[in-house]
Amino acid sequence: INDNINENDEAEKLKSKAEKLREEIRNMEEQLKSSSLPRSNNNDEYIPKPRENEDFIIEGKSLKNKRVLVVGANGRLGSMVTRYLLRSHPEVKEVVAAVHYVGEATTRGWGRLSYEVGAEDGVGYIGAAWSEEDERNARFEYSEAMKDYNLQNLRIVD
């Protein structure tokens, strides 16, 4: 009987500790929401800034309303080119990112493209497995920081 009482006390202590941790997490999430700091997981300083005088375009050399194909877009260089086109040339009609499978039909390597173009910069939330059923889910939302990423111009093809 004493063993049952000790186990119940231990379970109550763990449950109480878990609830305190959940509350700390909620407080941190609220602080992040109210933070005005821009959040980006990308190294934007490596992307050349758009030119000041965009009116100076050599005839026939404009990307305006063009569809640009980037082969190997989930590779190192291809993902960087894709990001450059999306962010520095918003006049491009569409960037078609041709990706390749790594090994068998897996999504390995797609993470690089997703990271480079900023698709992971949104605000995400994953509920803990021990949470109440209505909190035990995941969601992802675009954030204000992503407004100039021009992800609407990106199409991915195999």
mmCIF file of all heavy atoms in Angstrom, residues 35-71:
data_model
loop_
_atom_site.group_PDB
_atom_site.id
_atom_site.type_symbol
_atom_site.label_atom_id
_atom_site.label_comp_id
_atom_site.label_asym_id
_atom_site.label_seq_id
_atom_site.Cartn_x
_atom_site.Cartn_y
_atom_site.Cartn_z
ATOM 1 N N SER A 35 6.886 40.267 -29.699
ATOM 2 C CA SER A 35 8.191 40.784 -30.081
ATOM 3 C C SER A 35 8.109 41.422 -31.462
ATOM 4 O O SER A 35 7.504 40.898 -32.377
ATOM 5 C CB SER A 35 9.224 39.656 -30.098
ATOM 6 O OG SER A 35 10.432 40.103 -30.641
ATOM 7 N N SER A 36 8.744 42.568 -31.626
ATOM 8 C CA SER A 36 8.731 43.248 -32.919
ATOM 9 C C SER A 36 9.971 42.917 -33.740
ATOM 10 O O SER A 36 10.182 43.477 -34.800
ATOM 11 C CB SER A 36 8.633 44.762 -32.711
ATOM 12 O OG SER A 36 9.788 45.204 -32.007
ATOM 13 N N LEU A 37 10.815 42.026 -33.233
ATOM 14 C CA LEU A 37 12.019 41.676 -33.976
ATOM 15 C C LEU A 37 11.664 40.844 -35.199
ATOM 16 O O LEU A 37 10.861 39.929 -35.116
ATOM 17 C CB LEU A 37 12.966 40.854 -33.079
ATOM 18 C CG LEU A 37 13.532 41.567 -31.860
ATOM 19 C CD1 LEU A 37 14.325 40.587 -31.016
ATOM 20 C CD2 LEU A 37 14.415 42.714 -32.294
ATOM 21 N N PRO A 38 12.256 41.177 -36.349
ATOM 22 C CA PRO A 38 12.015 40.341 -37.529
ATOM 23 C C PRO A 38 12.681 38.995 -37.331
ATOM 24 O O PRO A 38 13.777 38.914 -36.798
ATOM 25 C CB PRO A 38 12.673 41.132 -38.666
ATOM 26 C CG PRO A 38 13.672 42.013 -38.008
ATOM 27 C CD PRO A 38 13.153 42.275 -36.625
ATOM 28 N N ARG A 39 11.976 37.936 -37.718
ATOM 29 C CA ARG A 39 12.526 36.595 -37.552
ATOM 30 C C ARG A 39 12.713 35.978 -38.927
ATOM 31 O O ARG A 39 11.794 35.912 -39.713
ATOM 32 C CB ARG A 39 11.579 35.744 -36.726
ATOM 33 C CG ARG A 39 11.460 36.236 -35.315
ATOM 34 C CD ARG A 39 10.433 35.506 -34.535
ATOM 35 N NE ARG A 39 10.006 34.280 -35.168
ATOM 36 C CZ ARG A 39 9.280 33.361 -34.584
ATOM 37 N NH1 ARG A 39 8.908 33.521 -33.375
ATOM 38 N NH2 ARG A 39 8.919 32.279 -35.217
ATOM 39 N N SER A 40 13.916 35.540 -39.211
ATOM 40 C CA SER A 40 14.202 34.879 -40.473
ATOM 41 C C SER A 40 15.293 33.868 -40.234
ATOM 42 O O SER A 40 16.233 34.117 -39.507
ATOM 43 C CB SER A 40 14.651 35.891 -41.525
ATOM 44 O OG SER A 40 15.072 35.210 -42.685
ATOM 45 N N ASN A 41 15.157 32.694 -40.831
ATOM 46 C CA ASN A 41 16.192 31.684 -40.683
ATOM 47 C C ASN A 41 17.154 31.713 -41.862
ATOM 48 O O ASN A 41 17.955 30.829 -42.019
ATOM 49 C CB ASN A 41 15.584 30.291 -40.514
ATOM 50 C CG ASN A 41 14.801 29.846 -41.730
ATOM 51 O OD1 ASN A 41 14.756 30.525 -42.741
ATOM 52 N ND2 ASN A 41 14.171 28.703 -41.625
ATOM 53 N N ASN A 42 17.061 32.720 -42.695
ATOM 54 C CA ASN A 42 17.898 32.792 -43.889
ATOM 55 C C ASN A 42 18.949 33.879 -43.758
ATOM 56 O O ASN A 42 18.802 34.832 -43.016
ATOM 57 C CB ASN A 42 17.034 33.076 -45.121
ATOM 58 C CG ASN A 42 16.128 31.919 -45.421
ATOM 59 O OD1 ASN A 42 16.593 30.799 -45.517
ATOM 60 N ND2 ASN A 42 14.838 32.180 -45.528
ATOM 61 N N ASN A 43 19.999 33.739 -44.520
ATOM 62 C CA ASN A 43 21.078 34.718 -44.533
ATOM 63 C C ASN A 43 20.837 35.723 -45.646
ATOM 64 O O ASN A 43 21.476 35.684 -46.684
ATOM 65 C CB ASN A 43 22.424 34.007 -44.723
ATOM 66 C CG ASN A 43 22.729 33.104 -43.567
ATOM 67 O OD1 ASN A 43 22.506 33.480 -42.432
ATOM 68 N ND2 ASN A 43 23.234 31.919 -43.857
ATOM 69 N N ASP A 44 19.925 36.646 -45.409
ATOM 70 C CA ASP A 44 19.527 37.598 -46.444
ATOM 71 C C ASP A 44 20.631 38.551 -46.847
ATOM 72 O O ASP A 44 20.577 39.155 -47.907
ATOM 73 C CB ASP A 44 18.310 38.399 -45.989
ATOM 74 C CG ASP A 44 17.063 37.538 -45.916
ATOM 75 O OD1 ASP A 44 17.002 36.562 -46.680
ATOM 76 O OD2 ASP A 44 16.187 37.843 -45.117
ATOM 77 N N GLU A 45 21.654 38.713 -45.995
ATOM 78 C CA GLU A 45 22.725 39.634 -46.361
ATOM 79 C C GLU A 45 23.523 39.131 -47.569
ATOM 80 O O GLU A 45 24.255 39.871 -48.192
ATOM 81 C CB GLU A 45 23.663 39.902 -45.180
ATOM 82 C CG GLU A 45 24.406 38.691 -44.673
ATOM 83 C CD GLU A 45 23.663 37.955 -43.579
ATOM 84 O OE1 GLU A 45 22.472 38.195 -43.354
ATOM 85 O OE2 GLU A 45 24.294 37.106 -42.935
ATOM 86 N N TYR A 46 23.363 37.862 -47.914
ATOM 87 C CA TYR A 46 24.070 37.322 -49.065
ATOM 88 C C TYR A 46 23.322 37.553 -50.376
ATOM 89 O O TYR A 46 23.846 37.295 -51.433
ATOM 90 C CB TYR A 46 24.340 35.829 -48.885
ATOM 91 C CG TYR A 46 25.253 35.558 -47.722
ATOM 92 C CD1 TYR A 46 24.810 34.839 -46.635
ATOM 93 C CD2 TYR A 46 26.549 36.043 -47.713
ATOM 94 C CE1 TYR A 46 25.649 34.601 -45.558
ATOM 95 C CE2 TYR A 46 27.390 35.809 -46.647
ATOM 96 C CZ TYR A 46 26.931 35.094 -45.569
ATOM 97 O OH TYR A 46 27.751 34.864 -44.512
ATOM 98 N N ILE A 47 22.096 38.016 -50.291
ATOM 99 C CA ILE A 47 21.321 38.291 -51.498
ATOM 100 C C ILE A 47 21.551 39.741 -51.882
ATOM 101 O O ILE A 47 21.316 40.635 -51.082
ATOM 102 C CB ILE A 47 19.816 38.054 -51.263
ATOM 103 C CG1 ILE A 47 19.570 36.606 -50.918
ATOM 104 C CG2 ILE A 47 19.018 38.469 -52.488
ATOM 105 C CD1 ILE A 47 18.131 36.308 -50.620
ATOM 106 N N PRO A 48 22.024 39.991 -53.092
ATOM 107 C CA PRO A 48 22.213 41.387 -53.517
ATOM 108 C C PRO A 48 20.883 42.130 -53.465
ATOM 109 O O PRO A 48 19.836 41.587 -53.800
ATOM 110 C CB PRO A 48 22.714 41.262 -54.958
ATOM 111 C CG PRO A 48 23.190 39.855 -55.096
ATOM 112 C CD PRO A 48 22.403 39.041 -54.115
ATOM 113 N N LYS A 49 20.942 43.357 -53.011
ATOM 114 C CA LYS A 49 19.740 44.183 -52.935
ATOM 115 C C LYS A 49 19.343 44.637 -54.339
ATOM 116 O O LYS A 49 20.190 44.801 -55.208
ATOM 117 C CB LYS A 49 19.993 45.407 -52.047
ATOM 118 C CG LYS A 49 20.409 45.046 -50.645
ATOM 119 C CD LYS A 49 19.307 44.333 -49.917
ATOM 120 C CE LYS A 49 19.725 43.983 -48.508
ATOM 121 N NZ LYS A 49 19.290 42.716 -48.067
ATOM 122 N N PRO A 50 18.041 44.834 -54.580
ATOM 123 C CA PRO A 50 17.607 45.326 -55.894
ATOM 124 C C PRO A 50 18.290 46.649 -56.228
ATOM 125 O O PRO A 50 18.553 47.452 -55.349
ATOM 126 C CB PRO A 50 16.100 45.505 -55.732
ATOM 127 C CG PRO A 50 15.729 44.632 -54.591
ATOM 128 C CD PRO A 50 16.929 44.586 -53.694
ATOM 129 N N ARG A 51 18.540 46.830 -57.495
ATOM 130 C CA ARG A 51 19.202 48.046 -57.947
ATOM 131 C C ARG A 51 18.304 49.254 -57.693
ATOM 132 O O ARG A 51 17.089 49.167 -57.779
ATOM 133 C CB ARG A 51 19.544 47.920 -59.428
ATOM 134 C CG ARG A 51 20.556 46.815 -59.702
ATOM 135 C CD ARG A 51 20.774 46.618 -61.191
ATOM 136 N NE ARG A 51 19.610 46.096 -61.888
ATOM 137 C CZ ARG A 51 19.288 44.807 -61.940
ATOM 138 N NH1 ARG A 51 20.025 43.919 -61.336
ATOM 139 N NH2 ARG A 51 18.224 44.403 -62.597
ATOM 140 N N GLU A 52 18.938 50.387 -57.433
ATOM 141 C CA GLU A 52 18.192 51.621 -57.170
ATOM 142 C C GLU A 52 17.369 52.045 -58.380
ATOM 143 O O GLU A 52 16.210 52.357 -58.275
ATOM 144 C CB GLU A 52 19.164 52.757 -56.795
ATOM 145 C CG GLU A 52 19.848 52.565 -55.463
ATOM 146 C CD GLU A 52 18.936 52.852 -54.302
ATOM 147 O OE1 GLU A 52 18.062 53.717 -54.427
ATOM 148 O OE2 GLU A 52 19.088 52.193 -53.265
ATOM 149 N N ASN A 53 17.995 52.064 -59.564
ATOM 150 C CA ASN A 53 17.333 52.550 -60.764
ATOM 151 C C ASN A 53 16.887 51.363 -61.619
ATOM 152 O O ASN A 53 17.607 50.927 -62.498
ATOM 153 C CB ASN A 53 18.274 53.462 -61.551
ATOM 154 C CG ASN A 53 17.588 54.113 -62.727
ATOM 155 O OD1 ASN A 53 16.409 53.875 -62.955
ATOM 156 N ND2 ASN A 53 18.322 54.920 -63.463
ATOM 157 N N GLU A 54 15.710 50.846 -61.338
ATOM 158 C CA GLU A 54 15.206 49.679 -62.069
ATOM 159 C C GLU A 54 14.752 50.048 -63.486
ATOM 160 O O GLU A 54 14.456 49.188 -64.279
ATOM 161 C CB GLU A 54 14.048 49.015 -61.314
ATOM 162 C CG GLU A 54 14.471 48.254 -60.087
ATOM 163 C CD GLU A 54 15.292 47.005 -60.401
ATOM 164 O OE1 GLU A 54 15.158 46.431 -61.494
ATOM 165 O OE2 GLU A 54 16.075 46.610 -59.532
ATOM 166 N N ASP A 55 14.684 51.359 -63.799
ATOM 167 C CA ASP A 55 14.263 51.769 -65.129
ATOM 168 C C ASP A 55 15.320 51.444 -66.175
ATOM 169 O O ASP A 55 15.024 51.319 -67.352
ATOM 170 C CB ASP A 55 13.964 53.269 -65.162
ATOM 171 C CG ASP A 55 12.765 53.623 -64.289
ATOM 172 O OD1 ASP A 55 11.920 52.724 -64.074
ATOM 173 O OD2 ASP A 55 12.681 54.765 -63.829
ATOM 174 N N PHE A 56 16.570 51.339 -65.752
ATOM 175 C CA PHE A 56 17.663 51.047 -66.674
ATOM 176 C C PHE A 56 17.711 49.544 -66.929
ATOM 177 O O PHE A 56 18.270 48.780 -66.159
ATOM 178 C CB PHE A 56 18.998 51.528 -66.101
ATOM 179 C CG PHE A 56 20.161 51.181 -66.997
ATOM 180 C CD1 PHE A 56 20.352 51.845 -68.193
ATOM 181 C CD2 PHE A 56 21.035 50.175 -66.650
ATOM 182 C CE1 PHE A 56 21.412 51.524 -69.010
ATOM 183 C CE2 PHE A 56 22.093 49.847 -67.468
ATOM 184 C CZ PHE A 56 22.289 50.515 -68.651
ATOM 185 N N ILE A 57 17.062 49.114 -67.988
ATOM 186 C CA ILE A 57 17.034 47.707 -68.366
ATOM 187 C C ILE A 57 17.468 47.607 -69.817
ATOM 188 O O ILE A 57 16.907 48.275 -70.686
ATOM 189 C CB ILE A 57 15.620 47.099 -68.192
ATOM 190 C CG1 ILE A 57 15.210 47.146 -66.725
ATOM 191 C CG2 ILE A 57 15.586 45.679 -68.725
ATOM 192 C CD1 ILE A 57 13.799 46.689 -66.468
ATOM 193 N N ILE A 58 18.480 46.799 -70.040
ATOM 194 C CA ILE A 58 18.937 46.602 -71.411
ATOM 195 C C ILE A 58 17.832 45.883 -72.167
ATOM 196 O O ILE A 58 17.295 44.885 -71.695
ATOM 197 C CB ILE A 58 20.247 45.788 -71.439
ATOM 198 C CG1 ILE A 58 21.320 46.524 -70.658
ATOM 199 C CG2 ILE A 58 20.691 45.510 -72.861
ATOM 200 C CD1 ILE A 58 22.581 45.731 -70.428
ATOM 201 N N GLU A 59 17.477 46.388 -73.328
ATOM 202 C CA GLU A 59 16.381 45.821 -74.106
ATOM 203 C C GLU A 59 16.592 44.320 -74.335
ATOM 204 O O GLU A 59 17.662 43.884 -74.730
ATOM 205 C CB GLU A 59 16.242 46.538 -75.444
ATOM 206 C CG GLU A 59 14.949 46.179 -76.137
ATOM 207 C CD GLU A 59 14.695 47.058 -77.346
ATOM 208 O OE1 GLU A 59 15.117 48.225 -77.337
ATOM 209 O OE2 GLU A 59 14.076 46.555 -78.286
ATOM 210 N N GLY A 60 15.557 43.549 -74.076
ATOM 211 C CA GLY A 60 15.619 42.102 -74.268
ATOM 212 C C GLY A 60 16.236 41.357 -73.099
ATOM 213 O O GLY A 60 16.313 40.146 -73.113
ATOM 214 N N LYS A 61 16.686 42.058 -72.061
ATOM 215 C CA LYS A 61 17.346 41.413 -70.929
ATOM 216 C C LYS A 61 16.500 41.452 -69.657
ATOM 217 O O LYS A 61 16.987 41.194 -68.594
ATOM 218 C CB LYS A 61 18.697 42.081 -70.640
ATOM 219 C CG LYS A 61 19.669 42.049 -71.783
ATOM 220 C CD LYS A 61 20.180 40.658 -72.007
ATOM 221 C CE LYS A 61 21.224 40.669 -73.107
ATOM 222 N NZ LYS A 61 21.698 39.366 -73.444
ATOM 223 N N SER A 62 15.260 41.795 -69.776
ATOM 224 C CA SER A 62 14.388 41.892 -68.617
ATOM 225 C C SER A 62 13.780 40.534 -68.268
ATOM 226 O O SER A 62 13.509 39.717 -69.143
ATOM 227 C CB SER A 62 13.268 42.895 -68.904
ATOM 228 O OG SER A 62 12.314 42.866 -67.878
ATOM 229 N N LEU A 63 13.556 40.316 -66.975
ATOM 230 C CA LEU A 63 12.873 39.105 -66.529
ATOM 231 C C LEU A 63 11.374 39.359 -66.300
ATOM 232 O O LEU A 63 10.658 38.460 -65.884
ATOM 233 C CB LEU A 63 13.497 38.594 -65.220
ATOM 234 C CG LEU A 63 14.917 38.061 -65.333
ATOM 235 C CD1 LEU A 63 15.472 37.723 -63.946
ATOM 236 C CD2 LEU A 63 14.964 36.843 -66.229
ATOM 237 N N LYS A 64 10.944 40.574 -66.611
ATOM 238 C CA LYS A 64 9.546 40.933 -66.368
ATOM 239 C C LYS A 64 8.609 40.012 -67.148
ATOM 240 O O LYS A 64 8.765 39.795 -68.343
ATOM 241 C CB LYS A 64 9.307 42.384 -66.780
ATOM 242 C CG LYS A 64 7.931 42.871 -66.400
ATOM 243 C CD LYS A 64 7.786 44.345 -66.652
ATOM 244 C CE LYS A 64 6.428 44.794 -66.144
ATOM 245 N NZ LYS A 64 6.284 46.223 -66.179
ATOM 246 N N ASN A 65 7.648 39.445 -66.416
ATOM 247 C CA ASN A 65 6.633 38.539 -66.957
ATOM 248 C C ASN A 65 7.221 37.290 -67.616
ATOM 249 O O ASN A 65 6.593 36.689 -68.475
ATOM 250 C CB ASN A 65 5.715 39.263 -67.934
ATOM 251 C CG ASN A 65 4.897 40.328 -67.246
ATOM 252 O OD1 ASN A 65 4.460 40.134 -66.111
ATOM 253 N ND2 ASN A 65 4.723 41.458 -67.889
ATOM 254 N N LYS A 66 8.414 36.902 -67.220
ATOM 255 C CA LYS A 66 9.049 35.693 -67.751
ATOM 256 C C LYS A 66 8.849 34.539 -66.778
ATOM 257 O O LYS A 66 8.676 34.732 -65.585
ATOM 258 C CB LYS A 66 10.558 35.899 -67.963
ATOM 259 C CG LYS A 66 10.924 36.958 -68.975
ATOM 260 C CD LYS A 66 10.740 36.438 -70.354
ATOM 261 C CE LYS A 66 11.160 37.248 -71.466
ATOM 262 N NZ LYS A 66 11.476 38.399 -71.840
ATOM 263 N N ARG A 67 8.877 33.335 -67.318
ATOM 264 C CA ARG A 67 8.847 32.119 -66.508
ATOM 265 C C ARG A 67 10.284 31.576 -66.518
ATOM 266 O O ARG A 67 10.834 31.312 -67.576
ATOM 267 C CB ARG A 67 7.883 31.105 -67.106
ATOM 268 C CG ARG A 67 7.764 29.836 -66.317
ATOM 269 C CD ARG A 67 6.674 28.934 -66.867
ATOM 270 N NE ARG A 67 5.372 29.510 -66.551
ATOM 271 C CZ ARG A 67 4.413 29.743 -67.435
ATOM 272 N NH1 ARG A 67 4.573 29.440 -68.697
ATOM 273 N NH2 ARG A 67 3.256 30.259 -67.062
ATOM 274 N N VAL A 68 10.888 31.427 -65.343
ATOM 275 C CA VAL A 68 12.283 31.014 -65.243
ATOM 276 C C VAL A 68 12.339 29.602 -64.660
ATOM 277 O O VAL A 68 11.758 29.337 -63.610
ATOM 278 C CB VAL A 68 13.091 31.978 -64.346
ATOM 279 C CG1 VAL A 68 14.543 31.533 -64.238
ATOM 280 C CG2 VAL A 68 12.992 33.404 -64.864
ATOM 281 N N LEU A 69 13.042 28.704 -65.354
ATOM 282 C CA LEU A 69 13.213 27.333 -64.895
ATOM 283 C C LEU A 69 14.557 27.210 -64.188
ATOM 284 O O LEU A 69 15.591 27.564 -64.737
ATOM 285 C CB LEU A 69 13.170 26.360 -66.078
ATOM 286 C CG LEU A 69 13.505 24.897 -65.767
ATOM 287 C CD1 LEU A 69 12.469 24.284 -64.844
ATOM 288 C CD2 LEU A 69 13.614 24.106 -67.067
ATOM 289 N N VAL A 70 14.539 26.709 -62.951
ATOM 290 C CA VAL A 70 15.759 26.448 -62.198
ATOM 291 C C VAL A 70 15.851 24.938 -62.013
ATOM 292 O O VAL A 70 15.051 24.342 -61.299
ATOM 293 C CB VAL A 70 15.763 27.158 -60.821
ATOM 294 C CG1 VAL A 70 17.051 26.853 -60.072
ATOM 295 C CG2 VAL A 70 15.566 28.649 -60.986
ATOM 296 N N VAL A 71 16.808 24.320 -62.697
ATOM 297 C CA VAL A 71 16.994 22.870 -62.616
ATOM 298 C C VAL A 71 17.872 22.571 -61.404
ATOM 299 O O VAL A 71 18.853 23.256 -61.168
ATOM 300 C CB VAL A 71 17.640 22.335 -63.912
ATOM 301 C CG1 VAL A 71 17.884 20.835 -63.806
ATOM 302 C CG2 VAL A 71 16.761 22.653 -65.108
#
